[in-house]
Amino acid sequence: MSLRKLELSTPNFRRGRHGERPRAIVIHTTVGSFESAASWFALEESKVSAHYLVGLDGRVASFVAEEHTALHAGRVLDPTVAIAAGTGSDGVNPFTIGIEFEDGGDPLGVARTEAQYEAGARLVAEIAERWSIPLDREHVIGHREVFAAKECPGNLSLPRLLARATQLGAVAEAAWPRSPERLACLLPARNAQEDLPGWLESVAALGADVVALDDGSSDRTPELLEASPMVRELLRRPRRLGWQGWDDGANRRLLLERAETLEPAWILFLDADERIDPDDAAALRRFLAGDAVEGLAYGLRLYRGWGDSRVLPTPSIVYRLFDHRPGDALRPGRLHFNPVPTRIGRSRWLETTIRARHLDSPARLAGRREKYAEADPAGTPPGPASELLREPSHGAVPWWPRPRAMAVLDGGAPKTPPPSPDDDHPRLTCLLPVRNAEDEIPGYLECVRLLGARIVALDDGSTDAGADLLAASPLVERLLRNPRRESYAGWDDAANRQALLDAAVDSGAEWILFLDADERIDAADAEALRSFLAAGADPGCAYGFRVHRMVGADSYDRAGLWVYRLFAAQPGQRLPETRLHLVPVPTSIPPGNRRLTTIRIQHFGAADEARRRQRLRKYEEADPDHRWQADYTAAIRAAGRPRAWRARPAGLPVLADPAASGGPLDLEEIADDLPILSVIVIATEDASTIEGSLEAILGQRCADPFEVIVVVSGSPTTASVVRERFGTRVTLVELTDRVSPGRARNEGLTLARGEFASFPGSHVKIAPGSLGLRIRAHERGWAMVTGSIRNGTRTRAGWASYFLDHSSALPGRPSGPLEGAPAHCSYVREFILGAGGFPAQLRAGEDTVLNQELWRRGHRAWREQAMELTHRSPCTDRRSLVRHHFSRGRGFGRILTGEFSSAAGGRRPGAGGGLRGYRKRRQASTDARIAEWGGDELQREYRRARRLVRLGILAAWAGARWELATGSRGGS
């Protein structure tokens, strides 16, 4: 446990440490009382101070922050310790921490107390741990060993103090093998001699060890680095005169590899022309020692300096800080990238309020432009560095101190104590609509007790003893009852929840949480939620939780559903009037005020086969006509691969995006085995092709982890091939009935954990390297990524179908941004979910609907020419060509009618003029694409197949006409 310290002040110190860092502790004695020493330090004319003062009664006072220089041992005279030899005019002050011990005015005769030794030893042990100072007599020294004319520290026994500090340090080391905040700063530098003194001072305030690489400097950079005691490892490349051949990525990867020798807990890349001030450094050190969570990458707010003590007002966010793991690999790239390990997906990049300054001026800007022109004559798009290559567009403002109360994660988990569960006015009320849940209620009541909440319940006609259990619980403030009934027929969930909300508001509830009888929130999440509400959650927002489908007491198989259940109670609130499957959030809270949290709901309603069958019967009784949901068979889906329930880490923010920096964060996003990309293959009667498709995917050499999910519908034979041939290398979802492609894709998405999602299809073979190219394009910021498609069915009908379906993806089309939504692509998974997934009632064109909806929402697409796949069309002859494109035409007609279910709002993506002029327009566009991108070989094949192309267009036109004429009567 850390010591409690009085915070006292002194004017007698110097900011920073002039490029040094603490590497020894000097022990003093006061020659006076605790109070007189504190008063003496407070006087400016005394010209002296210390970092700490330890009283005879065990009190500890702090005067100077450790990252600053206290004036405690300035002169050196005949030193007897090696560390004091050869010091400058400031003596040992720049690299030591000074501790005064009270002696009551009798430094040689005072009776030192056990309380003083214990407090002093704990202080010494803490300091040594923070700054990696060895606990030995060369580094924990008395003042007289620096200045021989002194008797200081009097009769204080340094061996006794050091022995106890070593013992305490060993205990701490056993509890945590390495300091949780031990930090390594990695520095790639070239010709940085002017910047290094200030950089070293900045790093000293961080308490970091340094691993540096000199990249062929022609100045004194390597000598300055070699002379610094903070530089634990120095790598050197051969001297060169210019920036030609500069490979920033290779340098940073080498630095990360060499940092393993230090066994750091955390890594920070900080360049020579960047600075972190002492106040931000102290905040960062406290953060790493407390709230920082492994598995995330943290971003710094980098302000561009312009002139002395002035910065441009708007920072860029650079992601440079992450926990260290042996074998980490950085993302590929030579220049212009965030140096973050591949294991940390972008949804786990979290912005902090830690500030850094990037030194700049007109002269520096000119030098930087020259450097990049030499290093990259081809002009690679600079990405995050682009702003630093332009003239400032705004005036500079004065730099300001960091506010003392500023949190590192602004909006993160509060630290105030939660309210007592026995409070007469609880902040939280759980609303429980329930029927026939007698077995669930005891566990539910224990969960609510941990939440410190009360319950307003509604028994919806139960035939068991559940209502009696609720009535007997002191946690239940109100119990509403509907008349007993024998089935779920007539179940009106919306009316029940509205009645609960009205009753809770009448009872004086402050916050509302809808939590069903088969749902739980575990103890650690419950404590975090209580603290979050107690510290002032925003009453204008509704908060969402990720639902985990439990398949045992401590494991789950899927966590793809987010639900909004928490909001502040207000009189007159109305819920949506959707009878079943409503989002229980008042209509007065706009969608833009919904925020996700890292609080998790455990859902036990499908934990075993009996529960799954019971859920299916419930919905069949309540919605026999499937008016409120098209299909309920997901309720009986067998358990998938179990994942162990993970304990909530201390310091995990409650808000899933506390600094508004990206997608939602939760424990799903920081799992050790989290893939970057989810490859989802949907299949039906594809036993003859599925093996080759999956072998091509699983055989990819990709630096980033990826998962493969196969959704097979209505084909036990295909599922058997996947299961027997690939086993646990893929996740198999087997659907008994044949379902639409959109439904199958959505089923795969419920299990997907990747940041990006690709749907290559069971008739496709992807080329080597394609997955890595796809990930790189997404990481550059593109929401949709498409590539080149080659023809795998080389009959004349196969060529015709290829030109009809894939003329926009010919291998000859160059890379670049697209001007409209692509036909086929991969996605940022978060954006698919945000648009409601793929429409489930279309037989074809489901990706067209989604892609155009994403485009409408502002998400853009990139074509990566080198990313190739080969598509094997089922169109081997004229008959199959007509049948296939007639079916695709019907799908297009269905889109034109707007008769499909889409959570994206059911918007029609637009038909490009409908069917008027369709045949001529499609023929002309296909002709133009082949002429522009086809090349000699494809143009030759196109001339041979063009008559069949016209036939396919006619078949598609006829299918669309048929669908428009018959509508739903045409069947599906």
Side-chain angles (χ1 to χ4, degrees):
M1 180 180 294
S2 296
L3 284 168
R4 290 184 176 273
K5 306 179 185 73
L6 302 171
E7 298 289 339
L8 303 180
S9 62
T10 176
N12 305 315
F13 70 96
R14 297 193 184 99
R15 296 188 66 82
R17 287 185 174 271
H18 304 288
E20 288 280 6
R21 56 164 290 181
R23 44 196 172 91
I25 300 169
V26 179
I27 305 300
H28 303 264
T29 192
T30 59
V31 194
S33 67
F34 188 99
E35 289 74 16
S36 64
S39 298
W40 184 238
F41 291 163
L43 296 175
E44 187 171 358
E45 57 265 29
S46 73
K47 307 295 185 185
V48 295
S49 63
H51 291 91
Y52 296 102
L53 169 62
V54 182
L56 288 167
D57 57 2
R59 286 180 294 168
V60 177
S62 169
F63 293 89
V64 178
E66 292 174 7
E67 57 266 23
H68 299 313
T69 305
L71 309 182
H72 65 97
R75 294 182 295 164
V76 174
L77 176 66
D78 297 331
T80 58
V81 288
I83 202 167
T87 56
S89 59
D90 284 336
V92 298
N93 285 343
F95 59 84
T96 60
I97 289 176
I99 305 176
E100 291 276 358
F101 282 75
E102 180 190 7
D103 57 24
D106 186 5
L108 296 176
V110 64
R112 303 285 179 179
T113 65
E114 181 64 30
Q116 187 178 50
Y117 273 114
E118 182 67 16
R122 286 186 179 276
L123 179 60
V124 169
E126 287 183 9
I127 294 168
E129 173 68 10
R130 275 193 292 272
W131 297 97
S132 301
I133 297 173
L135 286 172
D136 58 38
R137 287 289 286 111
E138 288 296 317
H139 296 85
V140 180
I141 58 180
H143 189 189
R144 59 176 168 248
E145 294 170 286
V146 175
F147 193 81
K150 293 276 188 180
E151 292 184 347
C152 180
N155 65 358
L156 187 78
S157 172
L158 293 186
R160 176 180 173 181
L161 183 73
L162 186 58
R164 179 57 177 155
T166 303
Q167 185 181 31
L168 292 168
V171 171
E173 187 73 11
W176 189 299
R178 56 180 181 170
S179 169
E181 73 271 25
R182 188 165 294 162
L183 177 66
C185 263
L186 308 190
L187 170 68
R190 181 174 184 275
N191 290 356
Q193 67 178 21
E194 300 300 325
D195 285 330
L196 279 177
W199 186 87
L200 290 168
E201 183 170 340
S202 188
V203 173
L206 287 165
D209 295 317
V210 175
V211 180
L213 181 147
D214 178 73
D215 191 22
S217 291
S218 56
D219 65 3
R220 296 183 58 251
T221 294
E223 289 80 4
L224 292 174
L225 290 170
E226 196 165 41
S228 171
M230 287 187 293
V231 179
R232 303 283 296 277
E233 295 277 348
L234 176 60
L235 310 174
R236 301 180 71 162
R237 294 197 186 278
R239 176 183 172 123
R240 66 175 190 273
L241 296 180
W243 287 94
Q244 297 88 346
W246 175 36
D247 190 334
D248 188 44
N251 289 346
R252 293 182 189 272
R253 284 185 279 276
L254 183 58
L255 283 166
L256 183 59
E257 179 182 332
R258 185 59 62 92
E260 289 189 12
T261 62
L262 305 184
E263 298 184 350
W266 295 90
I267 295 291
L268 172 66
F269 280 100
L270 191 69
D271 294 347
D273 55 0
E274 295 172 346
R275 303 287 183 267
I276 295 179
D277 285 0
D279 47 3
D280 282 284
L284 178 56
R285 287 175 50 210
R286 289 192 297 269
F287 176 66
L288 296 182
D291 289 346
V293 176
E294 295 181 359
L296 307 181
Y298 291 104
L300 279 61
R301 296 178 178 177
L302 184 63
Y303 288 86
R304 186 179 178 188
W306 199 258
D308 295 336
S309 302
R310 298 180 73 84
V311 297
L312 301 185
T314 304
S316 56
I317 308 302
V318 292
Y319 292 88
R320 308 276 194 79
L321 176 68
F322 50 87
D323 66 295
H324 173 260
R325 297 190 190 179
D328 261 343
L330 296 183
R331 282 170 157 71
R334 184 169 79 88
L335 302 174
H336 314 308
F337 68 103
N338 280 295
V340 173
T342 55
R343 65 178 163 87
I344 305 178
R346 279 186 178 268
S347 60
R348 291 176 283 150
W349 295 15
L350 211 61
E351 179 186 337
T352 74
T353 63
I354 300 298
R355 306 167 307 154
R357 289 177 294 128
H358 186 280
L359 306 182
D360 208 358
S361 66
R364 286 179 181 267
L365 176 59
R368 191 180 308 117
R369 288 171 170 172
E370 183 179 344
K371 175 176 77 171
Y372 280 106
E374 280 187 39
D376 185 27
T380 303
S386 60
E387 186 65 31
L388 296 176
L389 296 177
R390 294 195 288 262
E391 293 280 352
S393 56
H394 300 285
V397 298
W399 183 245
W400 62 98
R402 179 184 180 86
R404 292 182 63 86
M406 179 184 285
V408 172
L409 290 179
D410 188 15
K415 302 302 177 188
T416 54
S420 166
D422 300 322
D423 191 341
D424 291 335
H425 302 285
R427 296 186 63 84
L428 179 64
T429 299
C430 286
L431 305 191
L432 171 64
V434 61
R435 182 177 184 273
N436 288 355
E438 176 182 0
D439 294 339
E440 307 282 5
I441 287 174
Y444 183 88
L445 294 173
E446 174 61 19
C447 172
V448 173
R449 187 189 68 78
L450 293 174
L451 283 165
R454 294 293 185 268
I455 299 170
V456 173
L458 182 148
D459 181 78
D460 191 22
S462 292
T463 59
D464 65 5
D468 296 333
L469 292 176
L470 291 170
S473 172
L475 294 176
V476 178
E477 286 188 328
R478 292 189 63 178
L479 176 60
L480 313 179
R481 296 176 185 254
N482 285 343
R484 175 183 173 120
R485 65 177 190 276
E486 298 303 319
S487 76
Y488 278 91
W491 175 29
D492 189 337
D493 191 40
N496 290 345
R497 293 182 186 271
Q498 185 64 56
L500 284 167
L501 177 57
D502 293 342
V505 171
D506 289 344
S507 299
E510 297 179 41
W511 283 89
I512 297 296
L513 173 64
F514 277 105
L515 191 70
D516 294 345
D518 54 4
E519 296 174 340
R520 305 287 184 269
I521 295 177
D522 82 352
D525 283 328
E527 182 177 356
L529 178 56
R530 291 165 59 195
S531 297
F532 178 65
L533 294 179
D538 187 348
C541 290
Y543 293 98
F545 306 75
R546 189 193 279 269
V547 177
H548 293 64
R549 190 179 92 151
M550 307 301 290
V551 293
D554 298 308
S555 60
Y556 64 98
D557 70 339
R558 61 185 62 187
L561 177 66
W562 289 91
V563 295
Y564 291 90
R565 301 283 191 83
L566 177 70
F567 54 88
Q570 300 288 341
Q573 287 174 325
R574 304 299 302 173
L575 299 178
E577 295 182 359
T578 306
R579 182 165 71 85
L580 298 178
H581 314 305
L582 74 157
V583 178
V585 171
T587 55
S588 56
I589 300 177
N593 284 15
R594 296 179 182 180
R595 299 198 69 180
L596 296 175
T597 75
T598 59
I599 306 300
R600 300 162 294 170
I601 289 179
Q602 298 172 318
H603 183 263
F604 288 91
D608 54 47
E609 182 66 20
R611 291 188 185 211
R612 290 192 286 272
R613 292 290 175 186
Q614 182 180 357
R615 282 176 60 79
L616 181 60
R617 286 194 299 273
K618 175 174 86 170
Y619 285 113
E620 286 177 341
E621 291 171 359
D623 188 18
D625 299 326
H626 293 257
R627 178 183 176 189
W628 303 102
Q629 186 166 303
D631 182 71
Y632 288 102
T633 57
I636 59 170
R637 184 72 42 72
R641 182 168 54 191
R643 310 176 201 168
W645 180 259
R646 185 175 181 184
R648 181 184 184 88
L652 185 70
V654 170
L655 291 180
D657 190 11
S661 58
L665 159 76
D666 69 343
L667 292 182
E668 283 292 291
E669 307 296 342
I670 57 177
D672 289 340
D673 62 344
L674 189 76
I676 299 296
L677 174 69
S678 295
V679 182
I680 301 172
V681 181
I682 63 172
T684 53
E685 297 292 346
D686 298 307
S688 61
T689 61
I690 191 69
E691 187 171 344
S693 297
L694 293 180
E695 287 287 8
I697 295 169
L698 293 167
Q700 291 279 307
R701 291 186 177 181
C702 183
D704 303 292
F706 64 93
E707 65 178 351
V708 180
I709 299 169
V710 184
V711 182
V712 179
S713 66
S715 178
T717 304
T718 303
S720 178
V721 170
V722 175
R723 187 181 299 107
E724 294 172 6
R725 178 68 182 83
F726 298 99
T728 59
R729 298 168 67 195
V730 306
T731 298
L732 174 63
V733 179
E734 185 176 0
L735 307 178
T736 303
D737 299 325
R738 184 165 181 172
V739 302
S740 68
R743 162 79 186 281
R745 290 178 186 240
N746 291 337
E747 290 290 343
L749 282 169
T750 63
L751 294 180
R753 297 186 296 153
E755 185 176 352
F756 313 119
S758 175
F759 300 85
S762 57
H763 294 81
V764 162
K765 276 191 175 181
I766 63 175
S770 291
L771 292 189
L773 291 170
R774 191 177 293 279
I775 291 170
R776 297 287 84 75
H778 279 302
E779 288 184 333
R780 292 198 302 271
W782 298 101
M784 296 177 278
V785 176
T786 187
S788 299
I789 300 178
R790 294 189 179 275
N791 180 29
T793 305
R794 301 181 73 83
T795 65
R796 191 161 304 181
W799 277 110
S801 185
Y802 168 72
F803 291 128
L804 282 169
D805 289 339
H806 305 302
S807 63
S808 64
L810 300 177
R813 184 174 182 177
S815 297
L818 300 183
E819 296 181 356
H824 314 283
C825 64
S826 57
Y827 308 85
V828 174
R829 181 167 61 94
E830 174 193 348
F831 297 156
I832 309 177
L833 300 176
F838 294 89
Q841 295 180 359
L842 288 176
R843 67 177 63 86
E846 74 286 346
D847 49 351
T848 298
V849 173
L850 177 66
N851 296 355
Q852 295 212 26
E853 171 63 19
L854 293 177
W855 188 271
R856 187 191 68 80
R857 293 178 176 219
H859 302 304
R860 295 298 177 253
W862 174 266
R863 169 179 164 77
E864 182 59 54
Q865 183 181 25
M867 186 179 69
E868 291 190 351
L869 57 83
T870 299
H871 180 263
R872 290 165 291 187
S873 169
C875 302
T876 56
D877 54 27
R878 183 186 298 259
R879 181 185 295 272
S880 57
L881 174 75
V882 171
R883 186 168 56 247
H884 176 72
H885 286 279
F886 182 83
S887 177
R888 291 185 66 83
R890 290 190 64 190
F892 178 55
R894 193 74 175 274
I895 293 173
L896 293 179
T897 66
E899 292 181 6
F900 55 86
S901 173
S902 171
R907 293 181 176 85
R908 293 162 56 175
L915 291 182
R916 184 178 303 164
Y918 169 81
R919 287 178 289 174
K920 180 183 292 186
R921 190 169 60 250
R922 188 168 183 191
Q923 183 72 64
S925 66
T926 306
D927 289 346
R929 290 167 178 168
I930 303 301
E932 184 175 1
W933 302 317
D936 292 342
E937 179 185 356
L938 291 186
Q939 288 176 11
R940 187 165 51 250
E941 294 291 351
Y942 185 64
R943 286 193 293 271
R944 295 175 58 221
R946 193 170 185 275
R947 186 171 298 175
L948 290 181
V949 170
R950 288 201 300 269
L951 179 62
I953 293 173
L954 178 61
W957 175 83
R961 286 293 302 268
W962 173 267
E963 190 67 33
L964 290 173
T966 62
S968 60
R969 298 189 304 277
S972 60

